[in-house]
């Protein structure tokens, strides 16, 4: 699954366009490497998102194409 879609489906970022812009700005990295929006996400990857001063690090637990809001948090674990 593409990184921008994963961020949207998992609800780490609310909109896919915002996720795309964050990737283009270099604020998202996978396994300590700056990632593009089109990069594939695999189970076990560590995603780091920088929101200004705040940094969010999560580990990909599972990949689901669509999910409900209640189940979105099951897609990742905070590191």
């Amino acid at each position: 699954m593409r990184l921008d879609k994963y961020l949207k489906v998992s609800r780490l970022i609310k909109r896919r366009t915002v996720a795309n812009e964050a990737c283009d700005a270099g604020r998202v990295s996978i396994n300590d490497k700056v990632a593009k929006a089109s990069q594939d996400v695999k189970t076990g990857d560590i995603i780091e998102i920088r929101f200004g001063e705040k940094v969010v690090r999560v580990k990909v637990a599972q990949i689901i194409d669509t999910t409900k809001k209640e189940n979105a948090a099951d897609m990742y674990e905070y590191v």
Side-chain angles (χ1 to χ4, degrees):
M1 177 183 288
R2 287 175 52 107
L3 176 59
D4 57 348
K5 184 173 181 183
Y6 180 83
L7 293 173
K8 184 219 176 254
V9 171
S10 66
R11 290 173 172 75
L12 287 167
I13 296 180
K14 290 191 182 224
R15 289 184 210 91
R16 191 166 177 178
T17 53
V18 175
N20 214 324
E21 291 168 2
C23 293
D24 290 343
R27 295 191 314 236
V28 181
S29 59
I30 296 178
N31 299 326
D32 297 325
K33 294 179 185 173
V34 175
K36 293 185 178 183
S38 60
Q39 186 169 341
D40 284 335
V41 176
K42 298 176 218 56
T43 304
D45 285 346
I46 304 290
I47 299 175
E48 184 175 292
I49 309 166
R50 289 176 291 288
F51 298 105
E53 296 290 319
K54 184 180 177 186
V55 177
V56 177
R57 285 179 59 94
V58 295
K59 181 178 180 182
V60 178
Q62 59 183 347
I63 298 175
I64 307 170
D65 285 335
T66 58
T67 184
K68 295 184 179 181
K69 184 178 179 182
E70 299 83 31
N71 302 331
D74 296 337
M75 293 181 67
Y76 58 89
E77 305 165 359
Y78 286 103
V79 178

